[in-house]
Amino acid sequence: MGSLNTPNFITKLSALCLKKTKMQYRHQSNRRPTAPLGSRILTDPSKVFEHNMWDHMQWSQEEEENAKKKATENSLVKVQSEDQDKYEREASKYWNEFYKTHKNNFFKDRNWLFLEFPEILPEKLRQEFKTEKISLEHTKINNDSSFSLKNGMFEEGEKYWEKNYGSGSTAVQEYVYNKNQVKALSANPQGKKCGEELGKVESFPGCDATYRILEVGCGAGNSVFPILKVLCNTPGTFLYCCDFASGAVELVKSHSSYNSAWCSAFVHDVCDDALPYPFPDEILDVILLVFVLSTIHPDRMQGVVNRLAKLLKPGGMLLFRDYGRYDTAQLRFKEGRCLSENFYVRGDGTRVYFFTKDEVWNMFTLAGLTEVQNLVDRRLQVNRKKKVKMQRVWIQSKFQKPLLSLHNPEESTKRHPCK
């Protein structure tokens, strides 16, 4: 893949980040953010139709109660059990039909990913954002974008890193350790052989990479290609992407920007624990799980998260964004479309669940991951032409796999491919 031209994608992102330096960045886990995610705050209700989206909306008690009432009403009549079995059994068929109908025209490219999840970027690119080394020439900011980013995000991340891993942390064979752990590893003959054993692992796509990302539920590539646009000129990076709809994977592979030297797209059902991934466990730096888990039956979600957690290397990050409880999409369902509590089927046979942040926290912590961020993102979306207001609710989370403990040699042997 060729080199990036200026202005390029990172240039645009950098300009957006630096232009909004007066805005504080939201990075709080369990309480109201000190500042909203975006800069567009609705302070005068009479101006609600001046923009398409308003950030960080606060619901009144009445609005909350009305939303609960609507959700209760539209879930009174459940889909018959035989039909529920059909939707579960034929889930891939319905998504294949979806992509056959819409191809890559339904969803927009997620160019906001790096602003919400800078952890997608390798450390070098993150540092370029922080130190303002990226050129701002010929940059155009999309005024409809309500996202902002501040260097404070990186400072917050550094504080988290130092608190959990120590200021003297370092990387050894793609794992991150503090000073004491490095000393223990060096003194362990088995630890010295880890690199040799890793080299003996059978070749797989991206085996030569030092920074690896997996997007689960890649669809038609609306996250894949914005990511590749940035990473294609970064040596040592590799992107995996999977979907259980073969039609979606074919759309990705047939895209003009797809290149197997940088990316591997494959069909995979994350609900099937017996299906192997085309790479070993514990090699991923980042897993992207965006509007995917909600399509899976609630009874199977924990198993999916558990399996994905095994793919992360110690210190790796799982980035999550999905539908939140009482989002407009949930309240618009008609009676008879509810499968189970907060789980619905659309007219095209695809399904969707609406989360609370507590449910998300429980799932990821049970999988052994540690919370970095877990918040409810409420916005007001506006159709100015039709004068319609829609309360959008999303859950956004970041969970990290704890670093390997070297206090237990047996555990070290299990986690590392060393004998």
Side-chain angles (χ1 to χ4, degrees):
M1 302 174 73
S3 60
L4 296 176
N5 295 321
T6 304
N8 57 35
F9 188 65
I10 286 191
T11 304
K12 295 179 181 179
L13 287 177
S14 178
L16 181 58
C17 298
L18 301 175
K19 185 177 180 181
K20 301 294 186 178
T21 52
K22 294 183 179 180
M23 287 299 301
Q24 289 181 303
Y25 187 81
R26 177 183 68 182
H27 195 70
Q28 305 294 326
S29 293
N30 300 314
R31 63 182 185 272
R32 183 186 184 279
T34 55
L37 178 64
S39 59
R40 195 161 289 151
I41 310 301
L42 181 61
T43 56
D44 184 353
S46 66
K47 297 181 179 180
V48 66
F49 293 108
E50 289 187 4
H51 298 287
N52 296 326
M53 187 82 76
W54 298 94
D55 301 312
H56 196 63
M57 298 299 297
Q58 299 294 312
W59 285 20
S60 66
Q61 184 177 350
E62 182 181 1
E63 287 174 322
E64 190 87 28
E65 290 174 353
N66 287 338
K68 290 181 180 179
K69 182 180 178 181
K70 287 182 179 179
T72 300
E73 290 174 349
N74 71 16
S75 61
L76 289 175
V77 179
K78 301 292 193 296
V79 175
Q80 294 184 358
S81 58
E82 57 267 27
D83 288 331
Q84 294 209 30
D85 292 340
K86 180 187 70 173
Y87 292 129
E88 173 69 18
R89 187 175 59 254
E90 301 179 2
S92 62
K93 185 192 81 171
Y94 290 112
W95 279 107
N96 269 317
E97 290 176 352
F98 174 90
Y99 288 110
K100 183 179 179 180
T101 300
H102 299 289
K103 300 189 183 301
N104 58 357
N105 299 317
F106 192 84
F107 301 110
K108 294 181 179 179
D109 280 354
R110 295 166 176 161
N111 292 321
W112 49 266
L113 279 174
F114 298 98
L115 302 179
E116 291 297 310
F117 300 128
E119 296 84 357
I120 295 174
L121 296 171
E123 182 63 25
K124 182 180 179 181
L125 289 183
R126 273 183 265 170
Q127 288 301 318
E128 286 180 346
F129 273 85
K130 180 182 177 181
T131 56
E132 305 180 11
K133 289 182 179 177
I134 302 171
S135 172
L136 301 181
E137 294 177 0
H138 312 298
T139 301
K140 178 180 179 182
I141 303 300
N142 183 352
N143 291 326
D144 288 333
S145 173
S146 61
F147 299 97
S148 64
L149 183 62
K150 190 187 174 207
N151 287 343
M153 160 174 269
F154 298 97
E155 294 167 5
E156 186 75 25
E158 287 179 345
K159 290 177 183 177
Y160 177 86
W161 187 269
E162 183 171 341
K163 177 183 176 183
N164 287 276
Y165 314 129
S167 58
S169 60
T170 188
V172 179
Q173 295 163 355
E174 299 183 14
Y175 292 84
V176 183
Y177 304 97
N178 61 36
K179 291 179 179 178
N180 293 331
Q181 290 173 322
V182 170
K183 184 177 180 180
L185 181 63
S186 300
N188 181 1
Q190 290 183 339
K192 294 178 180 179
K193 295 179 182 178
C194 278
E196 298 174 6
E197 293 295 327
L198 281 168
K200 296 178 183 178
V201 175
E202 185 179 352
S203 179
F204 57 90
C207 62
D208 295 329
T210 57
Y211 192 86
R212 304 180 184 94
I213 303 166
L214 167 67
E215 187 195 6
V216 179
C218 61
N222 299 100
S223 296
V224 170
F225 297 111
I227 293 174
L228 286 180
K229 196 180 297 183
V230 172
L231 298 185
C232 67
N233 203 34
T234 306
T237 60
F238 198 85
L239 173 65
Y240 303 98
C241 57
C242 66
D243 202 290
F244 77 154
S246 58
V249 174
E250 286 304 314
L251 285 172
V252 172
K253 288 186 170 182
S254 63
H255 195 283
S256 59
S257 296
Y258 181 80
N259 188 324
S260 59
W262 298 89
C263 180
S264 175
F266 57 98
V267 178
H268 192 86
D269 184 355
V270 293
C271 293
D272 189 345
D273 289 340
L275 282 179
Y277 284 83
F279 47 80
D281 287 354
E282 293 201 334
I283 69 157
L284 297 179
D285 295 270
V286 175
I287 294 177
L288 194 61
L289 199 61
V290 177
F291 296 103
V292 176
L293 201 59
S294 57
T295 68
I296 295 170
H297 194 287
D299 292 346
R300 308 182 76 174
M301 290 179 184
Q302 187 65 59
V304 170
V305 175
N306 291 347
R307 182 67 187 96
L308 292 176
K310 294 179 181 178
L311 300 176
L312 286 171
K313 64 172 63 171
M317 191 83 74
L318 195 153
L319 308 175
F320 173 88
R321 186 172 176 86
D322 220 318
Y323 294 104
R325 190 68 47 84
Y326 309 134
D327 178 66
T328 289
Q330 179 179 11
L331 305 185
R332 282 184 168 180
F333 276 104
K334 303 298 182 183
E335 195 175 272
R337 307 304 301 179
C338 184
L339 298 163
S340 60
E341 191 172 0
N342 304 301
F343 190 43
Y344 299 80
V345 61
R346 302 183 182 95
D348 60 5
T350 61
R351 300 171 299 174
V352 58
Y353 185 83
F354 298 88
F355 296 94
T356 65
K357 75 172 190 175
D358 289 339
E359 289 173 337
V360 172
W361 186 89
N362 285 332
M363 274 192 293
F364 291 119
T365 54
L366 281 174
L369 304 180
T370 303
E371 176 192 333
V372 176
Q373 181 190 73
N374 189 32
L375 52 84
V376 180
D377 183 5
R378 298 180 187 268
R379 307 197 191 186
L380 181 65
Q381 190 173 356
V382 174
N383 185 320
R384 289 188 279 177
K385 184 177 181 180
K386 297 181 178 180
K387 302 298 182 183
V388 174
K389 295 181 286 185
M390 296 163 283
Q391 295 281 7
R392 305 312 310 266
V393 184
W394 297 296
I395 306 296
Q396 180 165 302
S397 310
K398 305 176 184 182
F399 284 82
Q400 191 164 38
K401 188 169 186 174
L403 294 177
L404 175 66
S405 172
L406 295 181
H407 296 297
N408 186 342
E410 292 183 0
E411 184 180 351
S412 300
T413 303
K414 289 178 182 178
R415 285 185 174 272
H416 283 280
C418 306
K419 298 180 180 179

